[in-house]
Amino acid sequence: MENLIALLIAAPLLGAAVLLCGGRRLDAVGHWIGTVLAAASFAVGVVLFTDMLGRSAEERTLTRHLYSWIPVEGFRADVAFHLDQLSMTFVLLISGVGTLIHVYSIGYMEHDERRRRFFGYLNLFLAAMLLLVLADNYLLLYVGWEGVGLASYLLIGFWQHKPSAATAAKKAFLVNRVGDVGLSIAIMLMFTTFGTFAFGPVLAAAGDTGEGKLTAIALMLLLAACGKSAQVPLQSWLGDAMEGPTPVSALIHAATMVTAGVYLIVRSGAIFNAAPDAQLVVTVVGAVTLLFGAVVGCAKDDIKKALAGSTMSQIGYMVLAAGLGPIGYVFAIMHLVTHGFFKAGLFLGAGSVMHGMNDEVDMRRYGGLRKYMPVTFVTFGLGYLAIIGFPGLSGFFSKDKIIEAAFAKGGAEGWILGGAALLGAAITAYYMTRVMLMTFFGEERWRDAPTPSPAESDVEPAAETRGEYTPPHPHESPSSMTIPMIVLAFGSVFAGAFFGIGDRFLHWLEPVTGHAHGHPPVSALTVTLSTVVVLIVGVAIAWAQYGRRPVPAVAPRGSLLTRAARRDLLQDDFNHVVLVRGGEHLTRSLVYVDHTLVDGVVNGTAASVGGLSGRLRKLQNGYARSYAVSMFGGAAVLVAATLLMRAV
Amino acid sequence: MNPVNYLYLAALLFTIGATGVLIRRNAIVVFMCVELMLNACNLALVAFSRLHGNLDGQIIAFFTMVVAAAEVVVGLAIIVSLFRTRHSASVDDAGLMKL
């Protein structure tokens, strides 16, 4: 069985190699190769999973040592894999949802002449992510971590002929780099502290190490998680990453990439458990991000960017749960899995809508699409109900547990975190209802030619606004696209109940992450009821604004908050003013110092030596008599000095 | 006669020679002034020999004379060849000793 673990990664990696090196002769079959290899990885995952279920909870961990990567005295880096329940969960999610997205992409990218390359990148993405979750030490995890960053860069910038896509890819890469530095520092700190960076020894020794060092390591790990999982303050790349093709967004947001940060925190749970200060920071980051993402999601008219805001917010929930310690680890992962289902479904649905609407992304140019795209409408609708936490669907079970755990932290912190999570749930209900109403209900706003928005005339309308306007012909997508959506919709509906009822998921994951039962100050029933209440309030407000009244085809100017949220709550402006300008000023002052001080010293020395030599040169004039004068002068000085010395 | 007077004479001769080296332009005259300085030194050495009552100064004076004779040979040869090539024996021809 152990031998199969390497096959999990090898299959998509082989696909990436074949597709990227194979050249044009594979154009016709490239997408099939990619999909089959992704599915093969999933099949291997299922085999390993059934095998794992056949063993008792204590014997489920499999390890496989492939080879020693860097065997040096006192420093050992192995290529070794570690498959336990936590990795297994991720393997199934990554390869399963990944395979569905591959199938979907066959239809979605049908008219793109670089489809083979696209599938190569997708396979690379899967391979890197699988390596990340299967590694048995932090250094190998780092390899996967960087691979994910590379693949996301290639995919976000897949349409690199668009300057915006190229910039977005660069931005994602750069922001991720900040987090990567955090991870590398954490690994170095681990090595100096524990002398190794394999999971087993590090996590076992974490309890007996000084809290200060552990806090430093934990904070660096958090920085890394912030970068990959788009948490405040490294969240700015996520919205721009929507420039990539929609399946990429689904892959990044559901199965890979953004889940890596949550995985890192849960995997390093022992370190965080021993560093309560770092845990508090984690929860604060999670709570801030969940509200931040939700507010941004409310204001966006671009359907994908609204969903991006929601991803940020949902990952915020997971990070919040992971920061709560053993009470929350299991629920963080559970929400991650259910979120994987419904968010992938929502993105694929959004892609299907765009596919039928000539790649229009502005929701103000949608409306009434439920008649034209019934399958998309139903699957998107189920995903919508799941994400807002409609009782009985996936999101309800997982999110409810997180809110409960946040209250269970106790004290003022518990109330603040729980309150933030509840408020986030209300806002989630609001913006997702808004997306739903604007897209599938109301008037058919796409029939009329678009008019440039007075408030943000520089943002939306493009070339096609000039000349004759031909309204799009909305139609249902081909079955290669709808089947994955249907499968994901099933997951969105039933996964939560399957995991949650009887604490099935809890018992599955508990041997790895540990679990502590919290004692919330309010009963679980109260928490559940209040989530339902805030859900109804959120939906009702959205309906009052977007369901009862017609949606204006042109975005109104909006309040100060709306305008700020449209600009991603000024995160880019903040980065620009503080980091870009600050960096420029720093550079300029350094250049100034370099020019005046350092160069001044060097140039001054050279100039004074030069001037002195110029003067000295005049002494050598070729007149024998002037040399004679200096000789006599020198002799006279010597005699005078001798006499003087003698006199003294 | 007080041997110290010879020292005064030697100093006077030496000064005249040095002044001549510094202010005269003709190479021959400069050369003669150099000889004058050498001989002033010889005179001083001999006078010191007398003052101290030993022969050290006289021996050095002989050495000086030998060296001066050799120097005269070389120096005159240089001056003659200089005069042949440049048709002048002035030491002030700028650049003579400059690369």
PDB file of all heavy atoms in Angstrom, chain A residues 78-112:
ATOM      1  N   ASP A  78      14.719  14.339   3.647  1.00  0.00           N
ATOM      2  CA  ASP A  78      14.280  13.139   2.949  1.00  0.00           C
ATOM      3  C   ASP A  78      13.113  13.470   2.039  1.00  0.00           C
ATOM      4  O   ASP A  78      12.333  14.378   2.321  1.00  0.00           O
ATOM      5  CB  ASP A  78      13.810  12.087   3.952  1.00  0.00           C
ATOM      6  CG  ASP A  78      14.976  11.552   4.752  1.00  0.00           C
ATOM      7  OD1 ASP A  78      16.093  11.598   4.222  1.00  0.00           O
ATOM      8  OD2 ASP A  78      14.758  11.127   5.894  1.00  0.00           O
ATOM      9  N   VAL A  79      13.037  12.713   0.967  1.00  0.00           N
ATOM     10  CA  VAL A  79      11.791  12.725   0.221  1.00  0.00           C
ATOM     11  C   VAL A  79      10.991  11.557   0.773  1.00  0.00           C
ATOM     12  O   VAL A  79      11.213  10.400   0.426  1.00  0.00           O
ATOM     13  CB  VAL A  79      12.037  12.581  -1.283  1.00  0.00           C
ATOM     14  CG1 VAL A  79      10.720  12.468  -2.010  1.00  0.00           C
ATOM     15  CG2 VAL A  79      12.802  13.782  -1.781  1.00  0.00           C
ATOM     16  N   ALA A  80      10.117  11.884   1.704  1.00  0.00           N
ATOM     17  CA  ALA A  80       9.338  10.848   2.365  1.00  0.00           C
ATOM     18  C   ALA A  80       7.903  11.337   2.498  1.00  0.00           C
ATOM     19  O   ALA A  80       7.663  12.535   2.645  1.00  0.00           O
ATOM     20  CB  ALA A  80       9.927  10.553   3.737  1.00  0.00           C
ATOM     21  N   PHE A  81       6.987  10.413   2.416  1.00  0.00           N
ATOM     22  CA  PHE A  81       5.578  10.790   2.467  1.00  0.00           C
ATOM     23  C   PHE A  81       4.940  10.270   3.729  1.00  0.00           C
ATOM     24  O   PHE A  81       5.363   9.272   4.302  1.00  0.00           O
ATOM     25  CB  PHE A  81       4.836  10.243   1.243  1.00  0.00           C
ATOM     26  CG  PHE A  81       5.424  10.718  -0.046  1.00  0.00           C
ATOM     27  CD1 PHE A  81       5.899   9.817  -0.978  1.00  0.00           C
ATOM     28  CD2 PHE A  81       5.550  12.067  -0.306  1.00  0.00           C
ATOM     29  CE1 PHE A  81       6.466  10.257  -2.159  1.00  0.00           C
ATOM     30  CE2 PHE A  81       6.119  12.516  -1.479  1.00  0.00           C
ATOM     31  CZ  PHE A  81       6.576  11.609  -2.406  1.00  0.00           C
ATOM     32  N   HIS A  82       3.916  10.958   4.125  1.00  0.00           N
ATOM     33  CA  HIS A  82       3.234  10.655   5.368  1.00  0.00           C
ATOM     34  C   HIS A  82       1.751  10.762   5.078  1.00  0.00           C
ATOM     35  O   HIS A  82       1.247  11.840   4.794  1.00  0.00           O
ATOM     36  CB  HIS A  82       3.683  11.694   6.420  1.00  0.00           C
ATOM     37  CG  HIS A  82       3.010  11.542   7.728  1.00  0.00           C
ATOM     38  ND1 HIS A  82       3.526  10.805   8.749  1.00  0.00           N
ATOM     39  CD2 HIS A  82       1.843  12.041   8.190  1.00  0.00           C
ATOM     40  CE1 HIS A  82       2.715  10.857   9.786  1.00  0.00           C
ATOM     41  NE2 HIS A  82       1.690  11.598   9.469  1.00  0.00           N
ATOM     42  N   LEU A  83       1.080   9.640   5.112  1.00  0.00           N
ATOM     43  CA  LEU A  83      -0.346   9.646   4.795  1.00  0.00           C
ATOM     44  C   LEU A  83      -1.121   9.270   6.040  1.00  0.00           C
ATOM     45  O   LEU A  83      -1.092   8.125   6.469  1.00  0.00           O
ATOM     46  CB  LEU A  83      -0.631   8.657   3.658  1.00  0.00           C
ATOM     47  CG  LEU A  83      -2.074   8.641   3.155  1.00  0.00           C
ATOM     48  CD1 LEU A  83      -2.356   9.877   2.342  1.00  0.00           C
ATOM     49  CD2 LEU A  83      -2.341   7.409   2.324  1.00  0.00           C
ATOM     50  N   ASP A  84      -1.772  10.271   6.632  1.00  0.00           N
ATOM     51  CA  ASP A  84      -2.659   9.959   7.740  1.00  0.00           C
ATOM     52  C   ASP A  84      -4.054  10.479   7.384  1.00  0.00           C
ATOM     53  O   ASP A  84      -4.299  10.872   6.250  1.00  0.00           O
ATOM     54  CB  ASP A  84      -2.128  10.556   9.041  1.00  0.00           C
ATOM     55  CG  ASP A  84      -1.938  12.052   8.945  1.00  0.00           C
ATOM     56  OD1 ASP A  84      -2.408  12.641   7.960  1.00  0.00           O
ATOM     57  OD2 ASP A  84      -1.311  12.633   9.839  1.00  0.00           O
ATOM     58  N   GLN A  85      -4.930  10.502   8.376  1.00  0.00           N
ATOM     59  CA  GLN A  85      -6.314  10.862   8.060  1.00  0.00           C
ATOM     60  C   GLN A  85      -6.414  12.278   7.503  1.00  0.00           C
ATOM     61  O   GLN A  85      -7.218  12.553   6.613  1.00  0.00           O
ATOM     62  CB  GLN A  85      -7.183  10.735   9.319  1.00  0.00           C
ATOM     63  CG  GLN A  85      -7.421   9.296   9.733  1.00  0.00           C
ATOM     64  CD  GLN A  85      -6.409   8.810  10.731  1.00  0.00           C
ATOM     65  OE1 GLN A  85      -5.234   9.180  10.690  1.00  0.00           O
ATOM     66  NE2 GLN A  85      -6.846   7.970  11.655  1.00  0.00           N
ATOM     67  N   LEU A  86      -5.574  13.180   8.046  1.00  0.00           N
ATOM     68  CA  LEU A  86      -5.630  14.570   7.585  1.00  0.00           C
ATOM     69  C   LEU A  86      -5.184  14.659   6.124  1.00  0.00           C
ATOM     70  O   LEU A  86      -5.873  15.263   5.282  1.00  0.00           O
ATOM     71  CB  LEU A  86      -4.727  15.430   8.476  1.00  0.00           C
ATOM     72  CG  LEU A  86      -4.653  16.913   8.146  1.00  0.00           C
ATOM     73  CD1 LEU A  86      -6.015  17.542   8.262  1.00  0.00           C
ATOM     74  CD2 LEU A  86      -3.682  17.613   9.076  1.00  0.00           C
ATOM     75  N   SER A  87      -4.034  14.017   5.810  1.00  0.00           N
ATOM     76  CA  SER A  87      -3.568  14.041   4.429  1.00  0.00           C
ATOM     77  C   SER A  87      -4.587  13.370   3.515  1.00  0.00           C
ATOM     78  O   SER A  87      -4.838  13.831   2.399  1.00  0.00           O
ATOM     79  CB  SER A  87      -2.244  13.313   4.298  1.00  0.00           C
ATOM     80  OG  SER A  87      -1.347  13.772   5.253  1.00  0.00           O
ATOM     81  N   MET A  88      -5.167  12.275   3.997  1.00  0.00           N
ATOM     82  CA  MET A  88      -6.127  11.516   3.181  1.00  0.00           C
ATOM     83  C   MET A  88      -7.306  12.399   2.787  1.00  0.00           C
ATOM     84  O   MET A  88      -7.748  12.405   1.628  1.00  0.00           O
ATOM     85  CB  MET A  88      -6.617  10.319   4.011  1.00  0.00           C
ATOM     86  CG  MET A  88      -7.301   9.251   3.214  1.00  0.00           C
ATOM     87  SD  MET A  88      -6.147   8.399   2.150  1.00  0.00           S
ATOM     88  CE  MET A  88      -6.902   8.700   0.600  1.00  0.00           C
ATOM     89  N   THR A  89      -7.799  13.169   3.784  1.00  0.00           N
ATOM     90  CA  THR A  89      -8.917  14.066   3.498  1.00  0.00           C
ATOM     91  C   THR A  89      -8.554  15.018   2.376  1.00  0.00           C
ATOM     92  O   THR A  89      -9.327  15.223   1.425  1.00  0.00           O
ATOM     93  CB  THR A  89      -9.248  14.874   4.773  1.00  0.00           C
ATOM     94  OG1 THR A  89      -9.314  13.987   5.862  1.00  0.00           O
ATOM     95  CG2 THR A  89     -10.547  15.612   4.609  1.00  0.00           C
ATOM     96  N   PHE A  90      -7.346  15.587   2.492  1.00  0.00           N
ATOM     97  CA  PHE A  90      -6.927  16.540   1.474  1.00  0.00           C
ATOM     98  C   PHE A  90      -6.729  15.855   0.130  1.00  0.00           C
ATOM     99  O   PHE A  90      -7.078  16.413  -0.904  1.00  0.00           O
ATOM    100  CB  PHE A  90      -5.639  17.245   1.907  1.00  0.00           C
ATOM    101  CG  PHE A  90      -5.895  18.472   2.709  1.00  0.00           C
ATOM    102  CD1 PHE A  90      -6.022  18.393   4.077  1.00  0.00           C
ATOM    103  CD2 PHE A  90      -6.033  19.704   2.098  1.00  0.00           C
ATOM    104  CE1 PHE A  90      -6.276  19.522   4.815  1.00  0.00           C
ATOM    105  CE2 PHE A  90      -6.282  20.833   2.842  1.00  0.00           C
ATOM    106  CZ  PHE A  90      -6.407  20.737   4.204  1.00  0.00           C
ATOM    107  N   VAL A  91      -6.140  14.639   0.158  1.00  0.00           N
ATOM    108  CA  VAL A  91      -5.878  13.945  -1.107  1.00  0.00           C
ATOM    109  C   VAL A  91      -7.183  13.735  -1.850  1.00  0.00           C
ATOM    110  O   VAL A  91      -7.294  14.013  -3.054  1.00  0.00           O
ATOM    111  CB  VAL A  91      -5.169  12.604  -0.847  1.00  0.00           C
ATOM    112  CG1 VAL A  91      -5.223  11.733  -2.080  1.00  0.00           C
ATOM    113  CG2 VAL A  91      -3.744  12.839  -0.432  1.00  0.00           C
ATOM    114  N   LEU A  92      -8.202  13.263  -1.117  1.00  0.00           N
ATOM    115  CA  LEU A  92      -9.481  13.007  -1.786  1.00  0.00           C
ATOM    116  C   LEU A  92     -10.094  14.306  -2.296  1.00  0.00           C
ATOM    117  O   LEU A  92     -10.625  14.361  -3.408  1.00  0.00           O
ATOM    118  CB  LEU A  92     -10.438  12.308  -0.822  1.00  0.00           C
ATOM    119  CG  LEU A  92     -10.055  10.864  -0.494  1.00  0.00           C
ATOM    120  CD1 LEU A  92     -11.034  10.269   0.486  1.00  0.00           C
ATOM    121  CD2 LEU A  92     -10.013  10.030  -1.762  1.00  0.00           C
ATOM    122  N   LEU A  93     -10.012  15.357  -1.476  1.00  0.00           N
ATOM    123  CA  LEU A  93     -10.591  16.633  -1.909  1.00  0.00           C
ATOM    124  C   LEU A  93      -9.862  17.163  -3.137  1.00  0.00           C
ATOM    125  O   LEU A  93     -10.483  17.538  -4.137  1.00  0.00           O
ATOM    126  CB  LEU A  93     -10.497  17.650  -0.770  1.00  0.00           C
ATOM    127  CG  LEU A  93     -10.997  19.044  -1.126  1.00  0.00           C
ATOM    128  CD1 LEU A  93     -12.494  19.054  -1.233  1.00  0.00           C
ATOM    129  CD2 LEU A  93     -10.548  20.063  -0.091  1.00  0.00           C
ATOM    130  N   ILE A  94      -8.525  17.161  -3.068  1.00  0.00           N
ATOM    131  CA  ILE A  94      -7.748  17.756  -4.151  1.00  0.00           C
ATOM    132  C   ILE A  94      -7.951  16.976  -5.442  1.00  0.00           C
ATOM    133  O   ILE A  94      -8.288  17.535  -6.485  1.00  0.00           O
ATOM    134  CB  ILE A  94      -6.251  17.787  -3.783  1.00  0.00           C
ATOM    135  CG1 ILE A  94      -6.012  18.701  -2.606  1.00  0.00           C
ATOM    136  CG2 ILE A  94      -5.423  18.222  -4.966  1.00  0.00           C
ATOM    137  CD1 ILE A  94      -4.680  18.483  -1.944  1.00  0.00           C
ATOM    138  N   SER A  95      -7.757  15.655  -5.351  1.00  0.00           N
ATOM    139  CA  SER A  95      -7.830  14.892  -6.600  1.00  0.00           C
ATOM    140  C   SER A  95      -9.279  14.764  -7.067  1.00  0.00           C
ATOM    141  O   SER A  95      -9.553  14.801  -8.267  1.00  0.00           O
ATOM    142  CB  SER A  95      -7.168  13.528  -6.427  1.00  0.00           C
ATOM    143  OG  SER A  95      -7.792  12.832  -5.385  1.00  0.00           O
ATOM    144  N   GLY A  96     -10.223  14.648  -6.127  1.00  0.00           N
ATOM    145  CA  GLY A  96     -11.623  14.507  -6.522  1.00  0.00           C
ATOM    146  C   GLY A  96     -12.153  15.764  -7.187  1.00  0.00           C
ATOM    147  O   GLY A  96     -12.578  15.751  -8.356  1.00  0.00           O
ATOM    148  N   VAL A  97     -12.109  16.881  -6.438  1.00  0.00           N
ATOM    149  CA  VAL A  97     -12.600  18.137  -7.010  1.00  0.00           C
ATOM    150  C   VAL A  97     -11.742  18.530  -8.209  1.00  0.00           C
ATOM    151  O   VAL A  97     -12.248  19.021  -9.226  1.00  0.00           O
ATOM    152  CB  VAL A  97     -12.605  19.244  -5.929  1.00  0.00           C
ATOM    153  CG1 VAL A  97     -12.992  20.566  -6.527  1.00  0.00           C
ATOM    154  CG2 VAL A  97     -13.553  18.875  -4.810  1.00  0.00           C
ATOM    155  N   GLY A  98     -10.431  18.243  -8.095  1.00  0.00           N
ATOM    156  CA  GLY A  98      -9.536  18.553  -9.213  1.00  0.00           C
ATOM    157  C   GLY A  98      -9.959  17.824 -10.479  1.00  0.00           C
ATOM    158  O   GLY A  98      -9.985  18.409 -11.571  1.00  0.00           O
ATOM    159  N   THR A  99     -10.305  16.540 -10.341  1.00  0.00           N
ATOM    160  CA  THR A  99     -10.715  15.781 -11.521  1.00  0.00           C
ATOM    161  C   THR A  99     -11.989  16.365 -12.132  1.00  0.00           C
ATOM    162  O   THR A  99     -12.098  16.522 -13.358  1.00  0.00           O
ATOM    163  CB  THR A  99     -10.944  14.308 -11.139  1.00  0.00           C
ATOM    164  OG1 THR A  99      -9.774  13.835 -10.508  1.00  0.00           O
ATOM    165  CG2 THR A  99     -11.252  13.479 -12.356  1.00  0.00           C
ATOM    166  N   LEU A 100     -12.942  16.720 -11.263  1.00  0.00           N
ATOM    167  CA  LEU A 100     -14.179  17.309 -11.775  1.00  0.00           C
ATOM    168  C   LEU A 100     -13.882  18.594 -12.548  1.00  0.00           C
ATOM    169  O   LEU A 100     -14.477  18.860 -13.596  1.00  0.00           O
ATOM    170  CB  LEU A 100     -15.131  17.604 -10.620  1.00  0.00           C
ATOM    171  CG  LEU A 100     -15.735  16.373  -9.942  1.00  0.00           C
ATOM    172  CD1 LEU A 100     -16.529  16.778  -8.715  1.00  0.00           C
ATOM    173  CD2 LEU A 100     -16.630  15.641 -10.928  1.00  0.00           C
ATOM    174  N   ILE A 101     -12.941  19.374 -12.021  1.00  0.00           N
ATOM    175  CA  ILE A 101     -12.611  20.634 -12.690  1.00  0.00           C
ATOM    176  C   ILE A 101     -11.914  20.348 -14.020  1.00  0.00           C
ATOM    177  O   ILE A 101     -12.118  21.070 -15.005  1.00  0.00           O
ATOM    178  CB  ILE A 101     -11.773  21.521 -11.757  1.00  0.00           C
ATOM    179  CG1 ILE A 101     -12.646  21.986 -10.604  1.00  0.00           C
ATOM    180  CG2 ILE A 101     -11.192  22.701 -12.495  1.00  0.00           C
ATOM    181  CD1 ILE A 101     -11.910  22.651  -9.492  1.00  0.00           C
ATOM    182  N   HIS A 102     -11.139  19.274 -14.069  1.00  0.00           N
ATOM    183  CA  HIS A 102     -10.534  18.875 -15.344  1.00  0.00           C
ATOM    184  C   HIS A 102     -11.620  18.569 -16.368  1.00  0.00           C
ATOM    185  O   HIS A 102     -11.565  19.027 -17.516  1.00  0.00           O
ATOM    186  CB  HIS A 102      -9.663  17.623 -15.153  1.00  0.00           C
ATOM    187  CG  HIS A 102      -8.261  17.908 -14.744  1.00  0.00           C
ATOM    188  ND1 HIS A 102      -7.926  18.309 -13.480  1.00  0.00           N
ATOM    189  CD2 HIS A 102      -7.096  17.867 -15.435  1.00  0.00           C
ATOM    190  CE1 HIS A 102      -6.620  18.490 -13.407  1.00  0.00           C
ATOM    191  NE2 HIS A 102      -6.092  18.231 -14.575  1.00  0.00           N
ATOM    192  N   VAL A 103     -12.613  17.783 -15.923  1.00  0.00           N
ATOM    193  CA  VAL A 103     -13.699  17.411 -16.844  1.00  0.00           C
ATOM    194  C   VAL A 103     -14.402  18.670 -17.351  1.00  0.00           C
ATOM    195  O   VAL A 103     -14.657  18.842 -18.544  1.00  0.00           O
ATOM    196  CB  VAL A 103     -14.700  16.473 -16.134  1.00  0.00           C
ATOM    197  CG1 VAL A 103     -15.897  16.211 -17.020  1.00  0.00           C
ATOM    198  CG2 VAL A 103     -14.017  15.182 -15.750  1.00  0.00           C
ATOM    199  N   TYR A 104     -14.685  19.567 -16.408  1.00  0.00           N
ATOM    200  CA  TYR A 104     -15.365  20.815 -16.745  1.00  0.00           C
ATOM    201  C   TYR A 104     -14.550  21.630 -17.750  1.00  0.00           C
ATOM    202  O   TYR A 104     -15.093  22.187 -18.708  1.00  0.00           O
ATOM    203  CB  TYR A 104     -15.574  21.587 -15.451  1.00  0.00           C
ATOM    204  CG  TYR A 104     -16.230  22.934 -15.582  1.00  0.00           C
ATOM    205  CD1 TYR A 104     -17.611  23.068 -15.508  1.00  0.00           C
ATOM    206  CD2 TYR A 104     -15.463  24.087 -15.733  1.00  0.00           C
ATOM    207  CE1 TYR A 104     -18.214  24.300 -15.600  1.00  0.00           C
ATOM    208  CE2 TYR A 104     -16.059  25.326 -15.817  1.00  0.00           C
ATOM    209  CZ  TYR A 104     -17.436  25.426 -15.748  1.00  0.00           C
ATOM    210  OH  TYR A 104     -18.015  26.646 -15.837  1.00  0.00           O
ATOM    211  N   SER A 105     -13.228  21.644 -17.533  1.00  0.00           N
ATOM    212  CA  SER A 105     -12.388  22.471 -18.402  1.00  0.00           C
ATOM    213  C   SER A 105     -12.392  21.979 -19.841  1.00  0.00           C
ATOM    214  O   SER A 105     -12.140  22.758 -20.762  1.00  0.00           O
ATOM    215  CB  SER A 105     -10.946  22.470 -17.892  1.00  0.00           C
ATOM    216  OG  SER A 105     -10.910  22.864 -16.564  1.00  0.00           O
ATOM    217  N   ILE A 106     -12.644  20.662 -20.021  1.00  0.00           N
ATOM    218  CA  ILE A 106     -12.683  20.152 -21.391  1.00  0.00           C
ATOM    219  C   ILE A 106     -13.696  20.953 -22.200  1.00  0.00           C
ATOM    220  O   ILE A 106     -13.432  21.380 -23.322  1.00  0.00           O
ATOM    221  CB  ILE A 106     -13.054  18.653 -21.399  1.00  0.00           C
ATOM    222  CG1 ILE A 106     -11.963  17.858 -20.706  1.00  0.00           C
ATOM    223  CG2 ILE A 106     -13.258  18.159 -22.811  1.00  0.00           C
ATOM    224  CD1 ILE A 106     -12.286  16.392 -20.581  1.00  0.00           C
ATOM    225  N   GLY A 107     -14.875  21.183 -21.579  1.00  0.00           N
ATOM    226  CA  GLY A 107     -15.887  21.966 -22.283  1.00  0.00           C
ATOM    227  C   GLY A 107     -15.577  23.449 -22.263  1.00  0.00           C
ATOM    228  O   GLY A 107     -15.709  24.138 -23.269  1.00  0.00           O
ATOM    229  N   TYR A 108     -15.121  23.922 -21.103  1.00  0.00           N
ATOM    230  CA  TYR A 108     -14.971  25.373 -20.943  1.00  0.00           C
ATOM    231  C   TYR A 108     -13.871  25.925 -21.841  1.00  0.00           C
ATOM    232  O   TYR A 108     -13.986  27.008 -22.401  1.00  0.00           O
ATOM    233  CB  TYR A 108     -14.663  25.687 -19.475  1.00  0.00           C
ATOM    234  CG  TYR A 108     -14.710  27.157 -19.151  1.00  0.00           C
ATOM    235  CD1 TYR A 108     -15.918  27.781 -18.876  1.00  0.00           C
ATOM    236  CD2 TYR A 108     -13.553  27.931 -19.132  1.00  0.00           C
ATOM    237  CE1 TYR A 108     -15.983  29.116 -18.576  1.00  0.00           C
ATOM    238  CE2 TYR A 108     -13.602  29.277 -18.837  1.00  0.00           C
ATOM    239  CZ  TYR A 108     -14.818  29.858 -18.563  1.00  0.00           C
ATOM    240  OH  TYR A 108     -14.875  31.194 -18.278  1.00  0.00           O
ATOM    241  N   MET A 109     -12.785  25.162 -22.005  1.00  0.00           N
ATOM    242  CA  MET A 109     -11.647  25.664 -22.763  1.00  0.00           C
ATOM    243  C   MET A 109     -11.654  25.147 -24.199  1.00  0.00           C
ATOM    244  O   MET A 109     -10.630  25.179 -24.885  1.00  0.00           O
ATOM    245  CB  MET A 109     -10.331  25.252 -22.084  1.00  0.00           C
ATOM    246  CG  MET A 109     -10.155  25.760 -20.675  1.00  0.00           C
ATOM    247  SD  MET A 109     -10.098  27.541 -20.552  1.00  0.00           S
ATOM    248  CE  MET A 109      -8.430  27.861 -21.104  1.00  0.00           C
ATOM    249  N   GLU A 110     -12.805  24.656 -24.639  1.00  0.00           N
ATOM    250  CA  GLU A 110     -12.856  23.984 -25.937  1.00  0.00           C
ATOM    251  C   GLU A 110     -12.322  24.856 -27.070  1.00  0.00           C
ATOM    252  O   GLU A 110     -11.646  24.372 -27.973  1.00  0.00           O
ATOM    253  CB  GLU A 110     -14.299  23.580 -26.227  1.00  0.00           C
ATOM    254  CG  GLU A 110     -14.402  22.544 -27.322  1.00  0.00           C
ATOM    255  CD  GLU A 110     -15.822  22.035 -27.456  1.00  0.00           C
ATOM    256  OE1 GLU A 110     -16.684  22.489 -26.674  1.00  0.00           O
ATOM    257  OE2 GLU A 110     -16.060  21.207 -28.331  1.00  0.00           O
ATOM    258  N   HIS A 111     -12.619  26.149 -26.993  1.00  0.00           N
ATOM    259  CA  HIS A 111     -12.258  27.006 -28.115  1.00  0.00           C
ATOM    260  C   HIS A 111     -10.915  27.689 -27.930  1.00  0.00           C
ATOM    261  O   HIS A 111     -10.549  28.556 -28.708  1.00  0.00           O
ATOM    262  CB  HIS A 111     -13.358  28.050 -28.340  1.00  0.00           C
ATOM    263  CG  HIS A 111     -14.697  27.421 -28.505  1.00  0.00           C
ATOM    264  ND1 HIS A 111     -14.997  26.578 -29.537  1.00  0.00           N
ATOM    265  CD2 HIS A 111     -15.801  27.466 -27.729  1.00  0.00           C
ATOM    266  CE1 HIS A 111     -16.231  26.141 -29.418  1.00  0.00           C
ATOM    267  NE2 HIS A 111     -16.743  26.665 -28.316  1.00  0.00           N
ATOM    268  N   ASP A 112     -10.199  27.282 -26.892  1.00  0.00           N
ATOM    269  CA  ASP A 112      -8.895  27.907 -26.652  1.00  0.00           C
ATOM    270  C   ASP A 112      -7.820  27.055 -27.304  1.00  0.00           C
ATOM    271  O   ASP A 112      -7.724  25.850 -27.058  1.00  0.00           O
ATOM    272  CB  ASP A 112      -8.645  27.999 -25.143  1.00  0.00           C
ATOM    273  CG  ASP A 112      -7.541  28.983 -24.822  1.00  0.00           C
ATOM    274  OD1 ASP A 112      -6.400  28.794 -25.296  1.00  0.00           O
ATOM    275  OD2 ASP A 112      -7.825  29.960 -24.110  1.00  0.00           O
TER     276      ASP A 112
END
